[in-house]
Amino acid sequence: MSIKLSSQPQCGDTSPQAIIITKKRRILEPLLFFFSSLVVTNPNRRTILSGKDKNRIMKDDLKTVLKDKQRRDSDSAYDILKVLIVDDEPTVHDITALVLKNFSYRGFRLQLISAYSASEAREILAEEGPFALILLDVIMETDDAGLMLAQYIREELRDPMVRIILRTGQPGMVPQRQVMREFEIDDYKEKAELTSERFDAAVTASIRTFLGFRRLEQNRQGLMRILDAIRHIESETDDENLADQILEQIEGVMDRPNKSKTGALLVLEDKDSIRIVSGRGDYSEYRDCGLETLKNQNTARLIKESLDKGFTTHDSHHIITNIITRNGGRYLAYFEDVHEFGDMERYLIELYASHVNASLDNKMLTQELVDTQKEIISTLGEVIETRSGETGEHVQRVGEIARLLAESSGFTLANKELLLFAAPLHDIGKVGISDAILMKPAKLTQDEYERMKSHTSIGYEILKASKRPILKMGARICLEHHEWWNGNGYPSSLSGNDICIEARICAIADVLDALRSKRVYKDAVSLDSALQIIKEGRGTQFDPNLVDILFEQRKHVEEIYSEFTA
């Protein structure tokens, strides 16, 4: 194949015709190398069709069509990388597409997208990115259009990963060292030097570098997802949703699409049994049930085998990872549809499992300490109430009624739980009141009543120095639970919202249960009578909004009395 150029201008000729011929030669000369290299690599290429050759060509064309179809079918097994060609010469696009037609690298094929100006390239970058490689001309609508586009990609789009190969037919106008450093160009090629082999090598090197950078970025993002997941587990206070959170976070580490459709199970093996604690996708019906209830017995078998092995197992269909807890129990997470799962994803899952293991251990230890503190506090409240002739059930009911009112008052889950355990401390100050006053069956004298009222301040002084949230809340409840909404209470004559809401809640819960309970100085009254007395104190002794909530929740109040009455 040959291309005949126009007659060359003489040296020093500056006529318009000479300038045009020079520009055309600069454009066409590089293409000669492309065409010549293609001719060398395709020695049977036919340029003349006559006689018997026509039938042979038709057969060859049919074979070519079939081969192209087979290649397209096989492309479905490849991942696609996008390449943007930016050049104002259509012929350059055609030749580039021809050279890269069958390009593949380690399971990747290229999708070529054309832009015929730098401005068009900007639009394509915004709409169709990200790209693995940009083949960039320099001189297009302006002499530096390509360089300005490269600067835009690196500085404004902040894309350090895409590889940029600068292709120029006028190297004298574009100094290689300067542009590669100033514009972060990855490779610089003169079009006149680009044979198909050299071009293929340059593209291969760029794709290899891009994939390496992409892998590093994926690993970085995977590690960030692990850290976020661990921080979330450590800060989460809702243990009831812990199983769902673990499944969600493992899926997040894997960065999987269509998460809700993925078949997944979280299984807990403790000393006595193997049970499913949470399911997703095809297994969403399974929750808090034995593994033997699983209809898919093959899945059940795989889970048991993985528990026996004690390490992560993975094939083209599933991945199973183990999370061992401090007390000897073990979580097992099972995920289906993981055919695109690689060694790095497996490593990230194992890394998550090892770290969430430590976080779960810390969470369980912390929870054990919290549970111990709550049990001590609850027992202490019961002891105080028993000393004053009341039963331990009184403090339990006060706590439950307080939590019920808090739930309808917008409390967070954490604060509801705090109130449940802080409310029983409301009368802890009675430890400083003599038995003669506490157990007196007759009406108290004025002096005795004043002494009894001091239990609010005594309780506050006992608890105020603590930094524990339950005890800090308990201190305020002790001090303020006998304050009245209209300011006629004690010890500080606070009114309205100046009384902390926890104390206002406990005031209602305490009086309601005191009315319902037998004392040495009085008999118990019915729930209807107790609620009527509370209603009469609405807006005077009690917060009117909380009184309304109490009546709205009457059914639940009855359930509390049914459960916590001997």
Side-chain angles (χ1 to χ4, degrees):
M1 178 184 292
S2 62
I3 297 179
K4 185 176 181 181
L5 296 175
S6 302
S7 57
Q8 305 296 315
Q10 298 298 316
C11 182
D13 190 348
T14 60
S15 66
Q17 180 182 8
I19 293 174
I20 292 172
I21 292 174
T22 301
K23 288 186 175 181
K24 287 184 176 180
R25 178 175 58 79
R26 287 173 176 170
I27 292 171
L28 291 173
E29 273 185 345
L31 302 183
L32 285 172
F33 289 88
F34 272 121
F35 279 120
S36 62
S37 63
L38 289 171
V39 170
V40 171
T41 57
N42 295 276
N44 296 322
R45 188 181 183 91
R46 296 174 178 81
T47 56
I48 301 176
L49 303 179
S50 61
K52 298 179 180 179
D53 288 339
K54 290 184 178 180
N55 291 331
R56 189 184 311 115
I57 293 303
M58 290 178 66
K59 293 180 180 178
D60 289 349
D61 286 346
L62 180 58
K63 291 180 181 178
T64 300
V65 169
L66 293 174
K67 287 182 179 179
D68 284 346
K69 182 180 184 303
Q70 292 173 353
R71 181 182 59 79
R72 287 194 300 271
D73 291 342
S74 65
D75 282 350
S76 62
Y78 285 85
D79 288 325
I80 300 299
L81 296 175
K82 291 183 179 181
V83 176
L84 180 59
I85 307 168
V86 188
D87 202 298
D88 58 353
E89 283 297 323
T91 310
V92 172
H93 291 262
D94 295 339
I95 297 299
T96 302
L98 189 59
V99 174
L100 297 179
K101 179 180 180 181
N102 296 318
F103 181 93
S104 66
Y105 177 77
R106 294 188 178 181
F108 291 92
R109 285 198 182 277
L110 304 181
Q111 177 187 352
L112 305 183
I113 299 175
S114 291
Y116 295 90
S117 67
S119 58
E120 183 184 3
R122 292 191 182 210
E123 296 178 2
I124 293 174
L125 285 167
E127 296 173 359
E128 308 211 25
F131 287 86
L133 172 63
I134 297 177
L135 303 171
L136 181 61
D137 190 17
V138 178
I139 302 174
M140 290 177 283
E141 59 262 55
T142 62
D143 288 348
D144 62 352
L147 298 180
M148 292 299 99
L149 178 62
Q151 187 178 53
Y152 168 77
I153 292 168
R154 298 304 193 204
E155 295 182 3
E156 294 191 36
L157 296 185
R158 298 184 180 277
D159 186 351
M161 293 180 59
V162 63
R163 303 296 88 195
I164 301 177
I165 297 179
L166 198 67
R167 299 189 296 180
T168 180
Q170 304 183 47
M173 295 182 63
V174 188
Q176 179 175 353
R177 180 180 300 176
Q178 180 181 355
V179 300
M180 289 191 70
R181 291 181 179 178
E182 291 185 10
F183 296 93
E184 298 186 47
I185 303 297
D186 301 292
D187 202 354
Y188 179 104
K189 299 296 181 185
E190 296 182 21
K191 292 180 179 179
E193 297 177 348
L194 271 181
T195 65
S196 62
E197 289 185 357
R198 289 179 179 177
F199 183 56
D200 186 277
V203 171
T204 300
S206 294
I207 294 298
R208 182 190 300 119
T209 302
F210 170 80
L211 291 175
F213 283 168
R214 189 174 74 171
R215 195 64 171 170
L216 289 173
E217 178 61 18
Q218 289 172 341
N219 296 345
R220 185 190 71 82
Q221 291 179 1
L223 291 173
M224 291 301 296
R225 290 194 294 271
I226 288 174
L227 292 175
D228 288 343
I230 298 301
R231 281 195 292 265
H232 184 76
I233 281 286
E234 290 177 341
S235 63
E236 182 58 49
T237 59
D238 187 0
D239 290 340
E240 292 182 1
N241 295 324
L242 184 61
D244 292 333
Q245 292 162 17
I246 291 175
L247 286 181
E248 289 176 4
Q249 289 169 2
I250 292 177
E251 286 187 330
V253 170
M254 292 192 292
D255 195 24
R256 304 182 64 187
N258 301 321
K259 296 181 177 63
S260 61
K261 299 179 181 179
T262 301
L265 289 168
L266 188 70
V267 175
L268 176 61
E269 180 192 43
D270 53 26
K271 298 175 183 178
D272 302 320
S273 64
I274 302 174
R275 63 187 180 91
I276 300 171
V277 293
S278 182
R280 294 170 69 81
D282 293 339
Y283 299 107
S284 58
E285 63 183 289
Y286 296 97
R287 180 178 294 271
D288 197 21
C289 57
L291 183 63
E292 67 277 3
T293 63
L294 195 62
K295 295 176 183 177
N296 189 331
Q297 288 302 302
N298 183 56
T299 299
R301 178 185 57 80
L302 290 172
I303 289 173
K304 289 179 181 178
E305 290 177 356
S306 184
L307 285 170
D308 291 339
K309 294 176 182 178
F311 53 81
T312 298
T313 60
H314 167 238
D315 62 19
S316 60
H317 181 62
H318 70 268
I319 184 168
I320 305 176
T321 190
N322 289 263
I323 306 171
I324 301 173
T325 61
R326 181 180 59 86
N327 63 356
R330 177 165 45 175
Y331 285 103
L332 181 145
Y334 168 87
F335 290 90
E336 292 181 344
D337 190 25
V338 290
H339 56 278
E340 296 181 356
F341 204 82
D343 291 338
M344 179 52 63
E345 286 80 3
R346 174 173 175 159
Y347 168 74
L348 291 175
I349 293 301
E350 291 176 339
L351 186 62
Y352 170 83
S354 65
H355 281 72
V356 80
N357 175 14
S359 295
L360 285 172
D361 285 349
N362 292 336
K363 187 176 181 64
M364 291 173 66
L365 179 59
T366 301
Q367 189 61 44
E368 186 176 333
L369 292 174
V370 170
D371 290 344
T372 301
Q373 291 174 2
K374 289 178 178 178
E375 187 173 341
I376 291 172
I377 290 169
S378 179
T379 302
L380 180 60
E382 291 179 11
V383 169
I384 297 301
E385 295 298 334
T386 302
R387 179 172 174 267
S388 63
E390 298 161 6
T391 67
E393 291 172 345
H394 169 67
V395 293
Q396 289 182 313
R397 290 191 295 264
V398 169
E400 293 294 336
I401 294 170
R403 178 167 63 174
L404 177 64
L405 295 176
E407 187 172 0
S408 300
S409 301
F411 276 49
T412 64
L413 177 64
N415 284 336
K416 282 189 298 182
E417 292 302 305
L418 283 179
L419 183 56
L420 173 66
F421 290 96
L425 297 174
H426 64 283
D427 278 340
I428 195 174
K430 288 182 179 179
V431 71
I433 308 300
S434 69
D435 288 345
I437 294 176
L438 290 176
M439 304 298 291
K440 184 176 180 179
K443 183 178 179 179
L444 299 178
T445 66
Q446 186 61 36
D447 289 342
E448 289 171 336
Y449 180 60
E450 292 299 323
R451 180 58 182 163
M452 176 64 85
K453 289 198 300 183
S454 69
H455 81 277
T456 57
S457 300
I458 294 173
Y460 176 74
E461 292 298 323
I462 292 172
L463 300 178
K464 71 175 184 179
S466 176
K467 296 181 181 180
R468 305 300 177 197
I470 292 178
L471 300 184
K472 288 175 67 176
M473 184 182 289
R476 289 204 67 183
I477 291 172
C478 283
L479 186 63
E480 299 179 10
H481 74 285
H482 280 290
E483 299 285 0
W484 282 29
W485 181 257
N486 64 4
N488 290 336
Y490 64 87
S492 303
S493 298
L494 299 177
S495 64
N497 291 326
D498 290 338
I499 309 166
C500 73
I501 188 169
E502 295 85 1
R504 302 199 309 264
I505 288 174
C506 284
I508 292 176
D510 184 31
V511 171
L512 175 65
D513 196 69
L515 291 168
R516 292 280 292 118
S517 304
K518 181 179 174 58
R519 297 288 188 264
V520 293
Y521 52 86
K522 75 171 190 67
D523 291 324
V525 301
S526 67
L527 180 59
D528 286 337
S529 297
L531 289 173
Q532 181 59 36
I533 294 172
I534 296 291
K535 186 176 183 179
E536 291 171 359
R538 183 185 184 276
T540 54
Q541 184 174 354
F542 306 115
D543 181 335
N545 182 55
L546 292 175
V547 171
D548 294 342
I549 292 174
L550 179 67
F551 276 82
E552 291 170 1
Q553 300 295 327
R554 172 172 178 150
K555 180 179 178 181
H556 296 295
V557 172
E558 292 174 353
E559 291 172 354
I560 290 172
Y561 276 100
S562 176
E563 182 177 354
F564 294 97
T565 301

